Amino acid sequence: MKVLVINAGSSSIKYQLYDMPQANVLAKGSVERIGEEASKLSQTCGDKTLTKEGHVADHEEAMAMILEALVSDQGGAIKSLAEIESVGHRVVHGGEEFTGSTLIDEAVIASVEKFCDLAPLHNPHNLVGIRAAMHKLPNANQVACFDTAFHATIPEVAYMYALPYELYETYRIRRYGFHGTSHRYVARRAAELLAMGKYDVNVITVHLGNGCSMAAVSQGRSVDTSMGLTPLEGLVMGTRTGDFDPAILFYLADKGYDIKQLNTLCNKKSGLLGISGKSNDMRNLGKLAAQGDTRAQLAIDIFCYRVRKYIGTYAAVLDGVHAVVFTGGIGENSPEVRAKICGGLTSLGIDVDAGRNRGMIGSEGNVSTDTSRAAVLVIPTNEEQAIAKDTYAIVSGTEQ
Ligand code: AMP
C-alpha cells in the first residue's frame, strides 16, 4: 500500500511517499514559501531530484504540484495517483478528543476546527492540507495523526493547572503536550534497542529541535510532558520562552505592551534568540560562543540547565529510568549539548561516555558508560514513518 504523509504548515507542505508495510520511502519533498512570488518544490526519489519554481498561490495549488511531481516522468515515484491508497496527515492539536490516530470524516474535521483556537499557528494549516488532499485524492483514505495523542495517558494530577477549576470545565484549559508522535517513536525505538517490551520501558525522552519538549514515559505511556496548553511551556526553545513567571506578562502589560506584542515576544523573540540577541540556531550559537560571545554562551548554558532540571524532575516522576533518549536536530547532532546536560548526573544513574558521545552525530546508539544505570540513547526521530505506520495500521485494520 502506498501511503502519502503530509505535514502542512503555514507556508509549506512537507511530504513523503511510503511503500507499506515495509516502510520504504519512495519519494520525499516539500513545497516552501506557499503564497509568495518565488515558491519552490523540491523532491528526491532515490537518486533522482526534481525542483520546480514559480508562484504557488495556496495549499490547494501546492498539493496539485506535489501530486504532479509524484507522477512526473522526470523524477517521479509512481505511474498513477490511483496508487496512493491512503494519506496520513500530521495534526498538531487533537484536544481531549483524540487519544490515537483516526480516519478522517466530517466529524473529525469539525473537531480539528474546534481546536484551532488552541493551536492557531498550526491546526488551520493542517486542516487546509487535509481539505486539499481530500479534494485532489477523493478515493484515498485520509488519516489524522495528532501531536497531542501520545500524551492522552497523562494523569489528571500532571495535566491540571492550579487555576480555578471552572476554567478547565468551561475552556478545557489543561496541559495537552505536543511532539507526541516523536516522543512515541523514540520511546518505542528505545524499547527495541534495550531489548524490552514497548510497555515495559521507563524512559525520559528529550526532543531538542527548534521546538523543544520532554516526556516522562512510564511503561511505554506518557505520564508527563513539558509543553502545556500550547507549545510555549517547558524548555527554552529557538524563539520561545518555555517556563517563566506569568506575572512578567502583567508587569509588561502595565508598561503598555498589548496582547499581540506579548504573544510575539514569548513565541517569536525569546528563547535562544532572545537571550543571545543573535540567533535561534544552536549551530550558530556554538560558533559564536567559541569566538567568545558571552551572550551566545549564556543562551546555551540556560538551554542546557533547563533540560537538566527537567531530567531531575522526571526521574522523580518515574519509578526507575531505563534510558534518557535524545532526539531532534540538536539532540541528535550536538554532543556538546548532550554532554553539558548530562554532566554530573551520576547520582541519578546517568553517566555519559565522552568518547561514545563525541562519535554519535546524526546516528543511533547508546552513549552511556558501561556502568551507567540508565542508558543514554541518541535516536534520530522519524515522525513521518510513525504517521505512515499509523495510517497503514488503521486502514488495514492491524494493531497500531
Ligand atoms: P529541528 O527543528 O529538529 O530540525 O532542529 C533544528 C535545530 O537543530 C537548530 O537549532 C539547529 O541549529 C540544530 N542543529 C542541527 N544540526 C546541528 C549540529 N550539528 N549541532 C548543533 N545543533 C544542530
Side-chain angles (χ1 to χ4, degrees):
M1 181 194 296
K2 308 271 192 312
V3 173
L4 178 61
V5 174
I6 294 287
N7 183 354
S10 57
S11 63
S12 72
I13 300 182
K14 298 195 189 98
Y15 63 98
Q16 292 200 17
L17 183 66
Y18 278 86
D19 195 14
M20 300 302 291
Q22 300 82 357
N24 292 330
V25 178
L26 301 175
K28 62 168 150 183
S30 64
V31 182
E32 307 278 348
R33 300 195 295 273
I34 298 170
E36 292 177 32
E37 270 322 303
S39 316
K40 183 174 177 189
L41 174 140
S42 326
Q43 176 174 292
T44 56
C45 170
D47 52 10
K48 294 177 288 184
T49 60
L50 181 68
T51 54
K52 268 190 166 183
E53 289 184 32
H55 177 59
V56 178
D58 53 26
H59 286 66
E60 187 87 11
E61 273 188 27
M63 192 62 74
M65 204 173 176
I66 290 167
L67 297 177
E68 208 176 284
L70 287 171
V71 293
S72 161
D73 290 338
Q74 281 98 38
I78 47 175
K79 294 224 160 5
S80 150
L81 291 180
E83 290 179 51
I84 303 175
E85 235 178 276
S86 306
V87 185
H89 297 267
R90 176 184 181 210
V91 181
V92 166
H93 217 307
E96 285 183 320
E97 217 163 300
F98 299 104
T99 56
S101 300
T102 187
L103 258 184
I104 297 175
D105 57 18
E106 283 306 320
V108 171
I109 289 182
S111 296
V112 175
E113 233 154 34
K114 194 172 70 190
F115 301 129
C116 280
D117 70 339
L118 288 177
L121 301 177
H122 296 100
N123 271 33
H125 308 297
N126 303 154
L127 263 178
V128 173
I130 290 173
R131 291 216 186 273
M134 288 173 91
H135 189 215
K136 298 284 175 198
L137 296 170
N139 297 321
N141 305 290
Q142 310 279 341
V143 170
C145 303
F146 299 93
D147 275 24
T148 45
F150 181 56
H151 302 303
T153 44
I154 292 178
E156 199 176 20
V157 69
Y159 74 64
M160 285 300 291
Y161 291 114
L163 288 164
Y165 196 83
E166 308 86 80
L167 293 181
Y168 170 66
E169 291 174 317
T170 312
Y171 301 114
R172 286 288 176 262
I173 290 178
R174 50 161 283 182
R175 173 182 315 286
Y176 290 96
F178 299 88
H179 287 146
T181 311
S182 176
H183 287 293
R184 176 172 54 125
Y185 175 85
V186 298
R188 299 286 181 264
R189 186 73 194 124
E192 284 171 10
L193 293 176
L194 297 171
M196 294 176 74
K198 67 179 175 183
Y199 293 121
D200 294 328
V201 282
N202 286 359
V203 289
I204 298 174
T205 50
V206 186
H207 179 115
L208 304 179
N210 223 332
C212 300
S213 69
M214 287 174 60
V217 178
S218 173
Q219 301 190 312
R221 294 173 183 85
S222 176
V223 292
D224 205 349
T225 193
S226 58
M227 283 177 169
L229 174 77
T230 77
L232 184 60
E233 196 183 347
L235 303 180
V236 174
M237 307 179 216
T239 61
R240 286 173 244 167
T241 54
D243 298 337
F244 74 112
D245 183 347
I248 293 168
L249 299 176
F250 318 144
Y251 183 83
L252 291 176
D254 255 357
K255 299 281 174 210
Y257 282 73
D258 64 25
I259 289 188
K260 204 162 161 228
Q261 285 171 315
L262 291 173
N263 197 341
T264 307
L265 184 95
C266 295
N267 278 297
K268 301 261 167 72
K269 294 189 171 173
S270 296
L272 294 175
L273 175 66
I275 303 165
S276 70
K278 296 237 169 74
S279 177
N280 63 327
D281 188 296
M282 187 55 90
R283 266 169 306 197
N284 293 341
L285 292 177
K287 285 184 202 139
L288 288 165
Q291 291 159 10
D293 187 317
T294 51
R295 290 254 303 270
Q297 186 61 57
L298 180 64
I300 298 171
D301 291 349
I302 295 173
F303 179 93
C304 294
Y305 178 74
R306 185 78 56 86
V307 177
R308 187 182 171 84
K309 231 161 78 162
Y310 266 91
I311 289 178
T313 305
Y314 288 167
V317 165
L318 296 171
D319 185 14
V321 178
H322 297 116
V324 176
V325 186
F326 284 96
T327 192
I330 301 170
E332 294 163 22
N333 295 300
S334 178
E336 296 82 10
V337 167
R338 293 192 301 256
K340 199 175 239 312
I341 291 169
C342 295
L345 287 183
T346 39
S347 61
L348 288 182
I350 296 164
D351 197 6
V352 166
D353 180 276
R356 286 176 190 166
N357 184 41
R358 261 197 312 276
M360 199 68 71
I361 299 178
S363 51
E364 182 181 88
N366 188 354
V367 298
S368 64
T369 59
D370 292 336
T371 51
S372 179
R373 246 188 354 261
V376 179
L377 302 174
V378 178
I379 302 180
T381 194
N382 196 338
E383 289 159 285
E384 292 79 11
Q385 190 195 88
I387 293 173
K389 284 187 171 170
D390 278 11
T391 303
Y392 175 77
I394 285 176
V395 172
S396 63
T398 48
E399 198 219 347
Q400 269 184 67

